[in-house]
Amino acid sequence: ALFMITLGIIISTLTVTSANHWLTAWLGLELNMISILPVITKQKHPRSTEAATKYFLTQAMASALLLFSSTLNAWQTGSWDITQLNNKLSCILMISALTMKMGAAPAHFWLPEVLQGSTLTTTLLITTWQKIAPITLLYMISNHIQSNILLPIGLLSILVGGWGGINQTQLRKMMAYSSIAHLGWTMTVISIAPNIALTNIIIYMAISTPFFLLLTSSSSKTLQTMTTTWAHAPTATIIMMLLLLSMAGLPPLTGFTPKLLILDKLVMHKLTPAATTMPILSLLSLTFYLRTMYLLASTTSPTTTQSTTLWRLKPNYYQITTILTPIALFNITILPALLT
C-alpha cells in the first residue's frame, strides 16, 4: 500500500510537470490529492481526519476553479495548451486556483491547520513536494501574468507568513507560516523573472527538508521540546540553528542568495517600493526564526534545561540530511552567473 501511494504521489506530480494540455494537468493534480489523503489520515486520530478533510475540500475547490478557468480559456481562444492562457479572466481565475493549491495568502487558512494535524514527515511532504505541481503551472503561464496581480498576493503572503508565525509555539504551524512567507517571495517575482522564482522555491525546499528531518529525528514538535535537543544531539542542534538562519535569509548562508536576486530584479523593473517593503516585512519572520534559534542556543552545555527530556528514537534520515545540509548552508556564489 505504501509503495502504491508513493508511486501515485510521484507519478501525479510528474504528470503535471510534463503536461501540455490543461486536462492532463488537472488529472495529475486530482491524482496527487487522492494519493496524499491516506498519508495524512495515517494516524488514527480525529486531528488527522480533520486535517485530511480540510485538505480535500480546499484542493477540490481549487481544482474546480482550475478546470473552470481552463475551460473558459478554451471556449474563448480554442486552445487547451497550458502556455496559451490568453484570456484575462481565465488568467486571474487560474492564479486564484493555484494560490489556493499552494497555500499562499489570502487562501492560506488551510495550511497551518492541515500541518498541525499531520506527522512531521507528512508536513515535510506537503510543504515541499506538494508545491512542485502548482509552482510548475504558475511558471508555465508566467508570461501571461501581469505583475500588478501577483505583487499584492506576494506581499500579503510575506506579511501573513511573518505575522502568523510570531505567536506560534507549535513548530509545525510555525513552519507552515514560514512556507507561506517563502511562497510570497516566489509569487512577487514569478511574472518578472520566473527562473529566479523557481530557484527561490528550490532553495527553500533544500533548507526545509534537512530541518524537518532533524526535527523528526529529535521528536521535537513544540518550542519547549526543542530546548532538550542539545543533550540528545549537539551536532544536530548546531545544524538546526544554522538552517534557521539560512531560512531567515541572513547573508553568508544560501537562503540569502535568492532574496538578493529577487530584490535586484524588482529594482531593475522599477518596483522599488515593493523591493523596500519585502525585506521590512521579512523582519517579522526573522523574529520567530531568531527566537527558535535562541531557545536552541540558550540550553547548550553547561546550561541545563528545566523541560523533561523526551524518549527519542533514531530514524535513519542522516543520508538525506548530510547531502542537503551543505547545499542549504553554503552560499552558492556561482548562482547569479547561472541565471543570467
Side-chain angles (χ1 to χ4, degrees), residues 22-43:
W22 276 116
L23 283 180
T24 320
W26 174 77
L27 197 71
L29 287 167
E30 289 296 294
L31 180 62
N32 188 267
M33 178 185 70
I34 293 160
S35 303
I36 196 87
L37 287 174
V39 181
I40 301 170
T41 52
K42 196 175 148 197
Q43 284 179 297

Side-chain angles (χ1 to χ4, degrees), residues 227-231 294-307:
T227 58
T228 61
T229 51
W230 180 268
Y294 173 74
L295 279 173
L296 280 166
S298 62
T299 52
T300 55
S301 185
T303 315
T304 52
T305 174
Q306 301 302 312
S307 307

Side-chain angles (χ1 to χ4, degrees), residues 130-192:
Q130 293 301 96
K131 299 268 189 286
I132 295 171
I135 287 275
T136 307
L137 290 175
L138 204 60
Y139 179 84
M140 287 166 86
I141 64 164
S142 60
N143 58 331
H144 294 290
I145 306 170
Q146 292 170 324
S147 60
N148 60 358
I149 298 170
L150 281 184
L151 264 177
I153 294 174
L155 288 167
L156 187 64
S157 294
I158 298 168
L159 175 67
V160 165
W163 219 327
I166 279 180
N167 206 23
Q168 299 301 331
T169 54
Q170 296 287 335
L171 287 170
R172 283 167 291 183
K173 274 194 175 179
M174 196 182 86
M175 291 309 291
Y177 283 108
S178 164
S179 169
I180 293 163
H182 277 87
L183 277 173
W185 281 86
T186 305
M187 299 286 268
T188 47
V189 82
I190 202 159
S191 59
I192 299 163

Side-chain angles (χ1 to χ4, degrees), residues 215-231:
L215 285 182
T216 312
S217 63
S218 63
S219 308
S220 302
K221 288 177 185 171
T222 62
L223 288 177
Q224 190 186 2
T225 52
M226 265 191 115
T227 58
T228 61
T229 51
W230 180 268

Side-chain angles (χ1 to χ4, degrees), residues 13-304:
T13 305
L14 293 177
T15 305
V16 178
T17 51
S18 58
N20 211 12
H21 194 285
W22 276 116
L23 283 180
T24 320
W26 174 77
L27 197 71
L29 287 167
E30 289 296 294
L31 180 62
N32 188 267
M33 178 185 70
I34 293 160
S35 303
I36 196 87
L37 287 174
V39 181
I40 301 170
T41 52
K42 196 175 148 197
Q43 284 179 297
K44 300 291 179 281
H45 194 274
R47 283 302 294 269
S48 55
T49 313
E50 184 191 335
T53 311
K54 282 177 180 171
Y55 186 81
F56 171 75
L57 291 171
T58 319
Q59 298 295 317
M61 208 153 77
S63 291
L65 201 57
L66 182 139
L67 195 59
F68 174 64
S69 166
S70 53
T71 310
L72 186 68
N73 184 64
W75 185 35
Q76 293 288 326
T77 62
S79 170
W80 281 97
D81 197 319
I82 291 177
T83 53
Q84 302 297 315
L85 198 72
N86 297 319
N87 189 310
K88 209 167 186 179
L89 179 61
S90 292
C91 200
I92 293 165
L93 287 170
M94 188 58 70
I95 292 164
S96 308
L98 294 174
T99 301
M100 202 185 289
K101 278 245 171 245
M102 286 185 287
H108 66 281
F109 298 101
W110 63 273
L111 190 65
E113 298 300 319
V114 169
L115 297 197
Q116 188 54 34
S118 315
T119 61
L120 280 164
T121 322
T122 313
T123 306
L124 167 64
L125 195 65
I126 295 168
T127 50
T128 54
W129 185 265
Q130 293 301 96
K131 299 268 189 286
I132 295 171
I135 287 275
T136 307
L137 290 175
L138 204 60
Y139 179 84
M140 287 166 86
I141 64 164
S142 60
N143 58 331
H144 294 290
I145 306 170
Q146 292 170 324
S147 60
N148 60 358
I149 298 170
L150 281 184
L151 264 177
I153 294 174
L155 288 167
L156 187 64
S157 294
I158 298 168
L159 175 67
V160 165
W163 219 327
I166 279 180
N167 206 23
Q168 299 301 331
T169 54
Q170 296 287 335
L171 287 170
R172 283 167 291 183
K173 274 194 175 179
M174 196 182 86
M175 291 309 291
Y177 283 108
S178 164
S179 169
I180 293 163
H182 277 87
L183 277 173
W185 281 86
T186 305
M187 299 286 268
T188 47
V189 82
I190 202 159
S191 59
I192 299 163
N195 287 356
I196 291 174
L198 217 57
T199 308
N200 181 52
I201 208 77
I202 289 164
I203 287 177
Y204 167 69
M205 288 173 187
I207 300 167
S208 60
T209 304
F211 184 73
F212 270 114
L213 294 176
L214 288 168
L215 285 182
T216 312
S217 63
S218 63
S219 308
S220 302
K221 288 177 185 171
T222 62
L223 288 177
Q224 190 186 2
T225 52
M226 265 191 115
T227 58
T228 61
T229 51
W230 180 268
H232 168 66
T235 318
T237 311
I238 293 164
I239 292 169
M240 276 159 88
M241 285 187 221
L242 290 169
L243 287 170
L244 281 164
L245 292 177
S246 185
M247 221 178 277
L250 292 183
L253 306 164
T254 307
F256 172 70
T257 311
K259 286 184 169 64
L260 182 69
L261 293 169
I262 288 168
L263 295 175
D264 178 51
K265 281 289 172 192
L266 288 171
V267 172
M268 276 173 68
H269 284 78
K270 295 182 172 57
L271 293 165
T272 317
T276 314
T277 315
M278 285 161 69
I280 293 167
L281 293 178
S282 287
L283 293 175
L284 291 164
S285 299
L286 181 66
T287 309
F288 64 80
Y289 289 131
L290 286 180
R291 184 187 58 188
T292 313
M293 197 202 124
Y294 173 74
L295 279 173
L296 280 166
S298 62
T299 52
T300 55
S301 185
T303 315
T304 52

